[in-house]
């Protein structure tokens, strides 16, 4: 299980704000969770960046249905082969057209 999945499983939403991590509800983080985030920050940022590239690629091909986009990202989180497939498609796409 990835570091992102672990913190999400603990009930937090993690997102990128520029080059930094945002988390909600931040005031519910315990000291061990804060340390975990510090230790795994680079890994989490990389994972979130990959998902954002996939979302951008989906937008570039005209996919706008939020349910489909969420299901795609959930599948990528659960299956490395699916993540690899969509990452390859998203390679080179940095923002939606």
């Amino acid at each position: 299980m990835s570091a992102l999945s672990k913190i999400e499983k603990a009930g937090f939403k993690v997102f990128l704000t520029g080059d930094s991590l945002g988390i909600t509800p931040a005031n519910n983080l315990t000291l061990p969770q804060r340390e975990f985030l510090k230790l795994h920050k680079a890994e989490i940022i990389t994972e979130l960046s990959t998902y954002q590239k996939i979302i951008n690629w989906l937008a570039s091909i005209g996919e706008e249905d939020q349910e489909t986009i969420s299901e795609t990202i959930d599948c990528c989180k659960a299956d490395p082969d699916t993540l690899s497939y969509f990452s390859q498609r998203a390679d080179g796409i940095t923002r939606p057209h």
Side-chain angles (χ1 to χ4, degrees):
M1 179 182 294
S2 72
L4 176 60
S5 295
K6 286 180 183 178
I7 203 72
E8 287 177 335
K9 189 175 181 178
F12 296 94
K13 178 172 173 46
V14 184
F15 51 92
L16 291 175
T17 57
D19 293 334
S20 299
L21 287 179
I23 188 158
T24 188
N27 59 342
N28 290 352
L29 286 167
T30 64
L31 184 57
Q33 288 168 329
R34 290 178 189 280
E35 292 300 320
F36 178 84
L37 285 169
K38 287 178 189 175
L39 185 63
H40 297 283
K41 180 179 178 179
E43 173 190 343
I44 293 169
I45 288 173
T46 298
E47 191 172 351
L48 288 171
S49 296
T50 299
Y51 297 144
Q52 188 59 56
K53 286 180 187 177
I54 293 169
I55 291 167
N56 291 347
W57 175 76
L58 289 167
S60 78
I61 62 167
E63 183 57 68
E64 298 176 356
D65 181 66
Q66 275 308 126
E67 186 173 333
T68 300
I69 293 167
S70 293
E71 287 175 3
T72 300
I73 297 304
D74 288 345
C75 287
C76 289
K77 288 179 179 180
D79 180 39
D81 290 335
T82 301
L83 177 60
S84 176
Y85 173 85
F86 282 102
S87 293
Q88 289 176 18
R89 293 319 157 277
D91 192 32
I93 301 293
T94 56
R95 56 190 160 92
H97 296 336

Coordinates of all heavy atoms in Angstrom, one line a residue:
M1 N 0.8 -1.2 0.0 CA 0.0 0.0 0.0 C 0.9 1.2 0.0 O 1.9 1.3 0.7 CB -0.9 0.0 1.2 CG -1.8 1.2 1.3 SD -2.8 1.2 2.8 CE -3.9 -0.2 2.6
S2 N 0.6 2.2 -0.9 CA 1.4 3.4 -1.0 C 1.2 4.3 0.2 O 0.2 4.2 1.0 CB 1.0 4.2 -2.2 OG -0.3 4.8 -2.1
A3 N 2.1 5.2 0.4 CA 2.0 6.2 1.5 C 0.7 7.0 1.4 O 0.0 7.3 2.4 CB 3.2 7.1 1.6
L4 N 0.4 7.4 0.1 CA -0.8 8.2 -0.1 C -2.0 7.4 0.3 O -2.9 7.9 1.0 CB -0.9 8.6 -1.6 CG -2.2 9.3 -1.9 CD1 -2.3 10.6 -1.2 CD2 -2.2 9.6 -3.5
S5 N -2.1 6.1 -0.1 CA -3.2 5.3 0.3 C -3.4 5.1 1.8 O -4.5 5.1 2.3 CB -3.1 3.9 -0.4 OG -3.2 4.0 -1.8
K6 N -2.2 5.0 2.5 CA -2.3 4.8 3.9 C -2.9 6.0 4.6 O -3.7 5.9 5.5 CB -0.9 4.5 4.5 CG -0.4 3.1 4.2 CD 1.0 2.9 4.7 CE 1.5 1.5 4.4 NZ 2.8 1.3 4.8
I7 N -2.5 7.2 4.2 CA -3.0 8.4 4.8 C -4.4 8.7 4.4 O -5.2 9.1 5.3 CB -2.1 9.7 4.6 CG1 -2.2 10.7 5.7 CG2 -2.2 10.2 3.2 CD1 -1.7 10.4 7.0
E8 N -4.8 8.3 3.2 CA -6.2 8.4 2.8 C -7.1 7.4 3.6 O -8.2 7.8 4.0 CB -6.4 8.2 1.3 CG -5.8 9.4 0.5 CD -5.9 9.1 -1.0 OE1 -5.9 8.0 -1.5 OE2 -6.0 10.1 -1.8
K9 N -6.5 6.2 3.8 CA -7.3 5.2 4.5 C -7.5 5.7 6.0 O -8.5 5.3 6.6 CB -6.5 3.9 4.5 CG -7.3 2.8 5.1 CD -6.6 1.4 4.9 CE -7.4 0.3 5.5 NZ -6.8 -1.0 5.3
A10 N -6.6 6.5 6.5 CA -6.8 7.1 7.8 C -7.8 8.2 7.9 O -8.1 8.7 8.9 CB -5.5 7.6 8.4
G11 N -8.4 8.5 6.7 CA -9.5 9.5 6.7 C -9.2 10.9 6.2 O -9.9 11.8 6.4
F12 N -8.0 11.0 5.6 CA -7.6 12.4 5.2 C -7.6 12.5 3.7 O -7.4 11.5 3.0 CB -6.1 12.6 5.7 CG -6.0 12.7 7.2 CD1 -5.7 11.5 7.9 CD2 -6.3 13.8 7.8 CE1 -5.6 11.6 9.3 CE2 -6.2 13.9 9.2 CZ -5.8 12.7 9.9
K13 N -7.8 13.7 3.2 CA -7.8 14.0 1.8 C -6.5 14.7 1.6 O -6.2 15.7 2.2 CB -8.9 14.8 1.3 CG -8.9 15.2 -0.1 CD -10.2 15.9 -0.6 CE -10.1 16.4 -2.0 NZ -9.6 15.6 -3.0
V14 N -5.6 14.2 0.7 CA -4.3 14.8 0.4 C -4.4 15.4 -1.0 O -4.9 14.7 -1.9 CB -3.2 13.8 0.6 CG1 -1.8 14.5 0.4 CG2 -3.3 13.1 1.9
F15 N -3.8 16.6 -1.2 CA -3.9 17.2 -2.5 C -2.6 18.1 -2.7 O -1.9 18.4 -1.7 CB -5.1 18.0 -2.7 CG -5.4 19.0 -1.5 CD1 -4.9 20.3 -1.6 CD2 -6.1 18.6 -0.4 CE1 -5.1 21.2 -0.6 CE2 -6.3 19.5 0.7 CZ -5.8 20.8 0.6
L16 N -2.4 18.5 -3.9 CA -1.2 19.3 -4.2 C -1.7 20.8 -4.2 O -2.8 21.1 -4.7 CB -0.6 19.0 -5.6 CG 0.1 17.7 -5.7 CD1 0.5 17.5 -7.2 CD2 1.3 17.7 -4.8
T17 N -0.9 21.6 -3.6 CA -1.1 23.1 -3.7 C 0.3 23.6 -4.2 O 1.2 23.8 -3.4 CB -1.4 23.7 -2.4 OG1 -0.4 23.4 -1.4 CG2 -2.8 23.2 -1.9
G18 N 0.4 23.7 -5.5 CA 1.6 24.1 -6.1 C 2.6 22.9 -6.0 O 2.3 21.8 -6.4
D19 N 3.7 23.2 -5.4 CA 4.7 22.1 -5.1 C 4.6 21.5 -3.7 O 5.5 20.8 -3.3 CB 6.1 22.6 -5.4 CG 6.4 23.0 -6.8 OD1 5.7 22.4 -7.7 OD2 7.2 23.8 -7.1
S20 N 3.6 21.9 -3.0 CA 3.4 21.5 -1.6 C 2.2 20.6 -1.4 O 1.4 20.5 -2.3 CB 3.3 22.7 -0.7 OG 4.4 23.5 -0.8
L21 N 2.2 19.9 -0.3 CA 1.0 19.1 0.0 C 0.0 19.8 0.8 O 0.4 20.6 1.7 CB 1.5 17.8 0.9 CG 2.2 16.7 0.2 CD1 2.6 15.7 1.2 CD2 1.4 16.1 -1.0
G22 N -1.2 19.6 0.5 CA -2.3 20.1 1.4 C -3.0 18.8 2.0 O -3.0 17.8 1.3
I23 N -3.6 19.0 3.1 CA -4.2 17.9 3.7 C -5.4 18.4 4.5 O -5.3 19.4 5.2 CB -3.3 17.0 4.6 CG1 -4.0 15.7 5.1 CG2 -2.8 17.8 5.8 CD1 -3.1 14.6 5.5
T24 N -6.5 17.6 4.5 CA -7.7 18.0 5.2 C -8.3 16.8 5.9 O -8.3 15.7 5.2 CB -8.7 18.8 4.3 OG1 -9.7 19.3 5.1 CG2 -9.2 18.0 3.2
P25 N -8.8 16.8 7.1 CA -8.7 17.9 8.0 C -7.3 17.9 8.7 O -7.0 16.9 9.5 CB -9.8 17.6 9.0 CG -10.0 16.1 8.9 CD -9.6 15.7 7.5
A26 N -6.5 18.9 8.5 CA -5.1 18.9 9.0 C -5.1 18.9 10.5 O -4.2 18.4 11.1 CB -4.4 20.1 8.4
N27 N -6.1 19.5 11.1 CA -6.1 19.6 12.6 C -6.3 18.3 13.3 O -6.1 18.1 14.5 CB -7.1 20.7 13.1 CG -8.5 20.4 12.7 OD1 -8.7 19.6 11.7 ND2 -9.5 21.0 13.3
N28 N -6.7 17.3 12.5 CA -6.9 15.9 13.1 C -5.6 15.0 13.0 O -5.7 13.9 13.5 CB -8.0 15.2 12.3 CG -9.4 15.8 12.7 OD1 -9.5 16.6 13.5 ND2 -10.4 15.3 12.0
L29 N -4.6 15.5 12.4 CA -3.4 14.8 12.2 C -2.7 14.6 13.6 O -2.6 15.5 14.4 CB -2.3 15.4 11.3 CG -2.6 15.4 9.8 CD1 -1.7 16.4 9.1 CD2 -2.4 14.0 9.3
T30 N -2.3 13.3 13.9 CA -1.5 13.0 15.1 C -0.1 13.3 14.8 O 0.3 13.4 13.6 CB -1.7 11.6 15.5 OG1 -1.2 10.7 14.5 CG2 -3.2 11.2 15.7
L31 N 0.7 13.4 15.8 CA 2.2 13.6 15.7 C 2.8 12.5 14.8 O 3.5 12.8 13.9 CB 2.9 13.7 17.0 CG 4.4 14.0 17.0 CD1 4.6 15.3 16.2 CD2 4.9 14.1 18.4
P32 N 2.5 11.2 15.0 CA 3.0 10.1 14.2 C 2.6 10.3 12.7 O 3.4 10.0 11.8 CB 2.5 8.8 14.8 CG 2.2 9.2 16.2 CD 1.7 10.6 16.2
Q33 N 1.3 10.7 12.5 CA 0.9 10.9 11.1 C 1.7 12.1 10.4 O 2.0 12.0 9.3 CB -0.6 11.2 11.1 CG -1.4 10.0 11.3 CD -2.9 10.2 11.6 OE1 -3.3 11.3 12.1 NE2 -3.7 9.3 11.2
R34 N 1.9 13.1 11.2 CA 2.7 14.3 10.7 C 4.1 13.8 10.3 O 4.6 14.2 9.3 CB 2.7 15.4 11.7 CG 1.4 16.1 11.9 CD 1.5 17.2 12.9 NE 0.2 17.8 13.2 CZ -0.4 18.7 12.5 NH1 0.1 19.1 11.4 NH2 -1.6 19.1 12.8
E35 N 4.7 13.0 11.2 CA 6.0 12.5 10.9 C 6.0 11.6 9.6 O 6.9 11.6 8.8 CB 6.6 11.7 12.1 CG 6.9 12.6 13.3 CD 7.9 13.7 12.9 OE1 8.9 13.4 12.2 OE2 7.7 14.8 13.4
F36 N 5.0 10.7 9.5 CA 4.8 9.9 8.4 C 4.7 10.7 7.1 O 5.4 10.4 6.1 CB 3.5 9.0 8.5 CG 3.2 8.1 7.4 CD1 3.8 6.9 7.3 CD2 2.4 8.5 6.4 CE1 3.6 6.0 6.2 CE2 2.1 7.7 5.3 CZ 2.7 6.4 5.2
L37 N 4.0 11.8 7.1 CA 3.8 12.7 5.9 C 5.2 13.3 5.6 O 5.5 13.4 4.4 CB 2.8 13.7 6.2 CG 1.3 13.3 6.1 CD1 0.4 14.4 6.6 CD2 1.0 12.9 4.7
K38 N 5.9 13.8 6.6 CA 7.2 14.4 6.3 C 8.2 13.3 5.7 O 8.9 13.6 4.8 CB 7.9 14.9 7.6 CG 7.2 16.1 8.1 CD 7.9 16.6 9.5 CE 7.1 17.7 10.1 NZ 7.6 18.1 11.4
L39 N 8.1 12.1 6.2 CA 9.0 11.1 5.7 C 8.7 10.7 4.3 O 9.6 10.3 3.5 CB 8.9 9.8 6.7 CG 9.8 8.7 6.4 CD1 11.3 9.1 6.5 CD2 9.5 7.5 7.3
H40 N 7.4 10.7 3.9 CA 6.9 10.2 2.6 C 6.5 11.3 1.7 O 5.8 11.0 0.7 CB 5.8 9.2 2.8 CG 6.3 8.0 3.6 ND1 7.0 7.0 3.0 CD2 6.1 7.6 4.9 CE1 7.2 6.0 3.9 NE2 6.7 6.4 5.0
K41 N 6.8 12.5 2.0 CA 6.3 13.7 1.3 C 6.7 13.6 -0.2 O 5.8 13.8 -1.1 CB 6.9 15.0 1.8 CG 6.5 16.2 1.1 CD 7.0 17.5 1.7 CE 6.6 18.7 1.0 NZ 7.2 19.9 1.5
A42 N 7.9 13.3 -0.6 CA 8.3 13.2 -2.0 C 7.5 12.1 -2.7 O 7.1 12.3 -3.8 CB 9.8 13.0 -2.1
E43 N 7.4 11.0 -2.1 CA 6.6 9.9 -2.7 C 5.2 10.3 -2.9 O 4.6 10.0 -4.0 CB 6.7 8.7 -1.8 CG 5.8 7.5 -2.2 CD 5.7 6.4 -1.1 OE1 6.5 6.4 -0.2 OE2 4.8 5.6 -1.2
I44 N 4.6 10.9 -2.0 CA 3.2 11.3 -2.1 C 3.0 12.4 -3.2 O 2.1 12.3 -4.0 CB 2.6 11.8 -0.8 CG1 2.5 10.6 0.2 CG2 1.2 12.5 -0.9 CD1 2.3 11.1 1.7
I45 N 3.9 13.3 -3.2 CA 3.9 14.4 -4.3 C 4.0 13.7 -5.7 O 3.3 14.1 -6.6 CB 4.9 15.5 -4.0 CG1 4.5 16.3 -2.9 CG2 5.2 16.3 -5.3 CD1 5.6 17.3 -2.4
T46 N 4.9 12.8 -5.8 CA 5.1 12.1 -7.1 C 3.8 11.4 -7.5 O 3.4 11.5 -8.6 CB 6.3 11.1 -7.0 OG1 7.5 11.9 -6.7 CG2 6.4 10.3 -8.3
E47 N 3.2 10.7 -6.5 CA 2.0 9.9 -6.8 C 0.8 10.9 -7.2 O 0.1 10.6 -8.2 CB 1.6 9.1 -5.6 CG 0.5 8.1 -5.9 CD 0.2 7.1 -4.8 OE1 1.0 7.1 -3.8 OE2 -0.7 6.3 -4.9
L48 N 0.7 11.9 -6.5 CA -0.4 12.9 -6.8 C -0.1 13.6 -8.1 O -1.1 13.8 -8.9 CB -0.5 14.0 -5.7 CG -1.1 13.5 -4.4 CD1 -0.9 14.6 -3.3 CD2 -2.5 13.1 -4.5
S49 N 1.1 13.9 -8.4 CA 1.5 14.5 -9.7 C 1.1 13.5 -10.9 O 0.6 13.9 -11.9 CB 3.0 14.8 -9.8 OG 3.3 15.8 -8.8
T50 N 1.4 12.2 -10.7 CA 1.0 11.2 -11.7 C -0.5 11.2 -11.9 O -0.9 11.2 -13.1 CB 1.6 9.8 -11.3 OG1 3.0 9.9 -11.2 CG2 1.2 8.8 -12.3
Y51 N -1.2 11.2 -10.9 CA -2.7 11.2 -11.0 C -3.2 12.5 -11.7 O -4.1 12.4 -12.5 CB -3.4 11.0 -9.7 CG -3.1 9.7 -9.0 CD1 -2.9 9.6 -7.6 CD2 -2.9 8.5 -9.7 CE1 -2.6 8.4 -7.0 CE2 -2.6 7.3 -9.1 CZ -2.4 7.3 -7.8 OH -2.1 6.1 -7.2
Q52 N -2.6 13.6 -11.4 CA -3.0 14.8 -12.0 C -2.7 14.8 -13.5 O -3.5 15.3 -14.4 CB -2.3 16.0 -11.4 CG -2.8 17.4 -11.9 CD -4.3 17.5 -11.7 OE1 -4.8 17.4 -10.5 NE2 -5.1 17.7 -12.7
K53 N -1.5 14.2 -13.9 CA -1.2 14.0 -15.4 C -2.3 13.2 -16.0 O -2.7 13.5 -17.2 CB 0.2 13.4 -15.5 CG 1.3 14.4 -15.2 CD 2.6 13.7 -15.4 CE 3.8 14.5 -15.0 NZ 5.1 13.8 -15.1
I54 N -2.7 12.1 -15.4 CA -3.8 11.3 -15.9 C -5.1 12.0 -16.1 O -5.7 12.0 -17.1 CB -3.9 10.0 -15.1 CG1 -2.7 9.1 -15.2 CG2 -5.2 9.2 -15.5 CD1 -2.6 8.0 -14.2
I55 N -5.4 12.8 -15.1 CA -6.6 13.6 -15.1 C -6.5 14.6 -16.3 O -7.5 14.8 -17.0 CB -6.9 14.3 -13.8 CG1 -7.3 13.3 -12.7 CG2 -7.9 15.4 -13.9 CD1 -7.2 13.8 -11.3
N56 N -5.4 15.2 -16.5 CA -5.1 16.2 -17.6 C -5.3 15.5 -18.9 O -5.9 16.0 -19.8 CB -3.8 16.9 -17.4 CG -3.7 17.8 -16.3 OD1 -4.7 18.2 -15.7 ND2 -2.5 18.2 -15.9
W57 N -4.7 14.3 -19.0 CA -4.8 13.5 -20.3 C -6.3 13.2 -20.5 O -6.8 13.4 -21.7 CB -4.0 12.2 -20.2 CG -4.2 11.4 -21.4 CD1 -3.7 11.6 -22.7 CD2 -5.0 10.2 -21.5 NE1 -4.1 10.6 -23.5 CE2 -4.9 9.8 -22.8 CE3 -5.8 9.5 -20.6 CZ2 -5.6 8.6 -23.3 CZ3 -6.4 8.4 -21.0 CH2 -6.3 7.9 -22.4
L58 N -7.0 12.8 -19.5 CA -8.5 12.5 -19.7 C -9.2 13.7 -20.2 O -10.0 13.6 -21.1 CB -9.1 11.9 -18.4 CG -8.7 10.5 -18.0 CD1 -9.1 10.3 -16.6 CD2 -9.2 9.5 -18.9
A59 N -8.9 14.9 -19.7 CA -9.5 16.1 -20.1 C -9.1 16.4 -21.6 O -9.9 16.8 -22.4 CB -9.1 17.3 -19.2
S60 N -7.9 16.1 -21.9 CA -7.4 16.4 -23.3 C -8.1 15.5 -24.3 O -8.2 15.9 -25.5 CB -5.9 16.2 -23.4 OG -5.5 14.8 -23.5
I61 N -8.6 14.4 -23.9 CA -9.4 13.5 -24.9 C -10.9 13.7 -24.7 O -11.7 13.0 -25.3 CB -9.0 12.0 -24.7 CG1 -9.3 11.5 -23.4 CG2 -7.5 11.8 -25.1 CD1 -9.3 10.0 -23.3
G62 N -11.3 14.7 -23.9 CA -12.7 15.1 -23.8 C -13.5 14.4 -22.7 O -14.7 14.6 -22.7
E63 N -12.8 13.7 -21.8 CA -13.5 13.1 -20.7 C -13.8 14.1 -19.7 O -12.8 14.7 -19.1 CB -12.7 11.9 -20.1 CG -13.4 11.2 -19.0 CD -14.7 10.6 -19.5 OE1 -14.7 9.7 -20.3 OE2 -15.7 11.1 -19.0
E64 N -15.0 14.3 -19.4 CA -15.4 15.3 -18.4 C -16.3 14.7 -17.3 O -16.6 15.4 -16.3 CB -16.2 16.4 -19.1 CG -15.4 17.2 -20.1 CD -16.2 18.2 -20.9 OE1 -17.5 18.3 -20.7 OE2 -15.6 18.9 -21.7
D65 N -16.7 13.5 -17.4 CA -17.5 12.9 -16.4 C -16.7 12.6 -15.1 O -15.8 11.8 -15.1 CB -18.2 11.6 -17.0 CG -19.1 10.9 -16.0 OD1 -20.1 11.5 -15.6 OD2 -18.7 9.8 -15.5
Q66 N -17.1 13.3 -14.0 CA -16.3 13.2 -12.8 C -16.4 11.8 -12.2 O -15.4 11.3 -11.6 CB -16.9 14.2 -11.7 CG -16.3 15.5 -11.8 CD -14.8 15.6 -11.9 OE1 -14.2 16.1 -12.8 NE2 -14.1 15.0 -10.9
E67 N -17.4 11.1 -12.4 CA -17.5 9.7 -11.9 C -16.5 8.8 -12.7 O -15.8 8.0 -12.0 CB -18.9 9.1 -12.1 CG -19.1 7.8 -11.4 CD -20.6 7.3 -11.4 OE1 -21.5 8.1 -11.4 OE2 -20.7 6.1 -11.4
T68 N -16.5 9.0 -14.0 CA -15.5 8.2 -14.8 C -14.1 8.5 -14.4 O -13.2 7.6 -14.2 CB -15.7 8.4 -16.3 OG1 -17.1 8.0 -16.6 CG2 -14.7 7.7 -17.1
I69 N -13.8 9.8 -14.2 CA -12.5 10.2 -13.8 C -12.1 9.7 -12.5 O -11.0 9.1 -12.3 CB -12.4 11.8 -13.8 CG1 -12.5 12.3 -15.3 CG2 -11.1 12.3 -13.2 CD1 -12.8 13.8 -15.4
S70 N -13.0 9.7 -11.5 CA -12.7 9.2 -10.2 C -12.5 7.7 -10.2 O -11.6 7.2 -9.5 CB -13.9 9.5 -9.2 OG -13.9 10.9 -9.0
E71 N -13.3 7.0 -11.0 CA -13.2 5.5 -11.1 C -11.8 5.2 -11.7 O -11.2 4.2 -11.3 CB -14.3 5.0 -11.9 CG -15.6 4.9 -11.2 CD -16.8 4.4 -12.1 OE1 -16.5 4.1 -13.3 OE2 -17.9 4.4 -11.6
T72 N -11.4 6.0 -12.7 CA -10.1 5.7 -13.4 C -9.0 5.9 -12.4 O -8.1 5.0 -12.3 CB -9.9 6.7 -14.6 OG1 -11.0 6.5 -15.5 CG2 -8.6 6.5 -15.2
I73 N -9.0 7.0 -11.6 CA -8.0 7.2 -10.6 C -8.0 6.1 -9.5 O -6.9 5.6 -9.1 CB -8.1 8.6 -10.0 CG1 -7.8 9.7 -11.1 CG2 -7.0 8.8 -8.9 CD1 -6.5 9.6 -11.9
D74 N -9.2 5.7 -9.1 CA -9.3 4.7 -8.1 C -8.7 3.4 -8.6 O -8.0 2.6 -7.9 CB -10.7 4.4 -7.7 CG -11.3 5.6 -6.8 OD1 -10.5 6.4 -6.3 OD2 -12.5 5.6 -6.7
C75 N -8.9 3.1 -9.9 CA -8.4 1.8 -10.5 C -6.9 2.0 -10.6 O -6.1 1.0 -10.3 CB -9.0 1.6 -11.9 SG -10.7 1.1 -11.9
C76 N -6.3 3.1 -10.9 CA -4.9 3.4 -10.9 C -4.3 3.2 -9.6 O -3.2 2.6 -9.4 CB -4.6 4.8 -11.5 SG -4.9 5.0 -13.2
K77 N -5.0 3.6 -8.5 CA -4.5 3.4 -7.2 C -4.4 2.0 -6.7 O -3.6 1.5 -6.0 CB -5.3 4.2 -6.2 CG -5.1 5.7 -6.3 CD -6.0 6.4 -5.3 CE -5.9 7.9 -5.3 NZ -6.7 8.6 -4.4
A78 N -5.4 1.2 -7.3 CA -5.5 -0.2 -6.9 C -4.7 -1.2 -7.7 O -4.4 -2.3 -7.2 CB -7.0 -0.6 -6.9
D79 N -4.3 -0.8 -8.9 CA -3.7 -1.8 -9.8 C -2.5 -1.1 -10.5 O -2.7 -0.2 -11.3 CB -4.7 -2.3 -10.8 CG -4.2 -3.3 -11.8 OD1 -3.3 -4.1 -11.4 OD2 -4.5 -3.2 -13.0
P80 N -1.3 -1.6 -10.3 CA -0.1 -1.0 -10.9 C -0.1 -1.1 -12.4 O 0.4 -0.2 -13.1 CB 1.1 -1.9 -10.3 CG 0.5 -2.5 -9.1 CD -1.0 -2.6 -9.3
D81 N -0.7 -2.2 -13.0 CA -0.8 -2.3 -14.4 C -1.7 -1.2 -15.0 O -1.4 -0.7 -16.1 CB -1.3 -3.7 -14.9 CG -0.3 -4.8 -14.6 OD1 0.9 -4.5 -14.5 OD2 -0.7 -5.9 -14.4
T82 N -2.8 -0.9 -14.4 CA -3.7 0.1 -14.8 C -3.0 1.5 -14.7 O -3.1 2.3 -15.6 CB -5.0 0.1 -14.0 OG1 -5.6 -1.1 -14.1 CG2 -6.0 1.2 -14.5
L83 N -2.3 1.7 -13.6 CA -1.5 2.9 -13.5 C -0.5 3.1 -14.6 O -0.4 4.1 -15.2 CB -0.9 3.0 -12.1 CG 0.0 4.2 -11.8 CD1 -0.8 5.5 -11.9 CD2 0.7 4.0 -10.5
S84 N 0.2 2.0 -14.9 CA 1.2 2.0 -16.0 C 0.5 2.4 -17.3 O 1.1 3.2 -18.1 CB 1.9 0.7 -16.0 OG 2.8 0.7 -17.1
Y85 N -0.6 1.8 -17.6 CA -1.3 2.0 -18.8 C -1.7 3.5 -19.0 O -1.4 4.1 -20.0 CB -2.6 1.1 -18.9 CG -3.5 1.4 -20.1 CD1 -3.2 0.8 -21.3 CD2 -4.5 2.3 -20.0 CE1 -4.0 1.1 -22.4 CE2 -5.3 2.6 -21.0 CZ -5.1 2.0 -22.3 OH -5.9 2.3 -23.3
F86 N -2.3 4.0 -18.0 CA -2.8 5.4 -18.1 C -1.6 6.4 -18.0 O -1.6 7.4 -18.6 CB -3.8 5.7 -17.0 CG -5.2 5.2 -17.4 CD1 -5.7 4.0 -16.9 CD2 -6.0 5.8 -18.4 CE1 -6.9 3.5 -17.2 CE2 -7.2 5.4 -18.7 CZ -7.7 4.2 -18.2
S87 N -0.6 6.0 -17.2 CA 0.6 6.9 -17.2 C 1.3 7.0 -18.5 O 1.7 8.1 -18.9 CB 1.6 6.4 -16.1 OG 1.1 6.5 -14.9
Q88 N 1.4 5.9 -19.3 CA 1.9 6.0 -20.6 C 1.1 6.8 -21.5 O 1.7 7.6 -22.3 CB 2.1 4.5 -21.2 CG 3.1 3.7 -20.5 CD 3.2 2.3 -21.0 OE1 2.6 2.0 -22.0 NE2 3.8 1.4 -20.2
R89 N -0.2 6.8 -21.4 CA -1.1 7.6 -22.2 C -0.9 9.1 -21.9 O -0.9 9.9 -22.7 CB -2.5 7.3 -22.0 CG -3.1 5.9 -22.5 CD -2.7 5.3 -23.6 NE -2.7 4.0 -24.2 CZ -1.8 3.1 -24.0 NH1 -0.8 3.3 -23.2 NH2 -1.8 2.0 -24.7
A90 N -0.7 9.3 -20.6 CA -0.6 10.7 -20.1 C 0.8 11.3 -20.3 O 0.9 12.5 -20.2 CB -1.0 10.8 -18.6
D91 N 1.8 10.5 -20.6 CA 3.1 11.0 -20.8 C 3.2 12.1 -21.8 O 2.7 12.0 -22.9 CB 4.1 9.9 -21.2 CG 5.5 10.2 -21.0 OD1 5.8 11.0 -20.1 OD2 6.3 9.8 -21.8
G92 N 3.7 13.2 -21.4 CA 3.8 14.4 -22.3 C 2.7 15.4 -22.2 O 2.8 16.5 -22.7
I93 N 1.6 15.0 -21.6 CA 0.5 15.9 -21.4 C 0.6 16.6 -20.1 O 0.7 15.9 -19.0 CB -0.9 15.2 -21.4 CG1 -1.1 14.4 -22.7 CG2 -2.0 16.1 -21.1 CD1 -1.2 15.3 -23.9
T94 N 0.7 17.9 -20.0 CA 0.9 18.6 -18.8 C -0.3 19.4 -18.3 O -0.5 19.7 -17.2 CB 2.1 19.6 -18.9 OG1 1.9 20.5 -20.0 CG2 3.4 18.9 -19.1
R95 N -1.2 19.7 -19.3 CA -2.4 20.4 -18.9 C -3.5 20.1 -19.9 O -3.2 19.7 -21.0 CB -2.2 21.9 -18.8 CG -1.7 22.5 -20.1 CD -1.2 24.0 -19.8 NE -0.3 24.4 -20.8 CZ -0.7 25.0 -21.9 NH1 -1.9 25.3 -22.2 NH2 0.2 25.4 -22.8
P96 N -4.7 20.3 -19.5 CA -5.8 20.0 -20.4 C -5.9 20.9 -21.6 O -5.5 22.1 -21.4 CB -7.1 20.1 -19.5 CG -6.6 20.5 -18.2 CD -5.2 20.7 -18.2
H97 N -6.3 20.4 -22.7 CA -6.5 21.3 -23.9 C -7.9 21.9 -23.8 O -8.8 21.5 -23.3 CB -6.4 20.5 -25.1 CG -5.1 19.8 -25.4 ND1 -3.9 20.3 -24.8 CD2 -4.7 18.7 -26.0 CE1 -2.9 19.6 -25.2 NE2 -3.4 18.6 -25.9

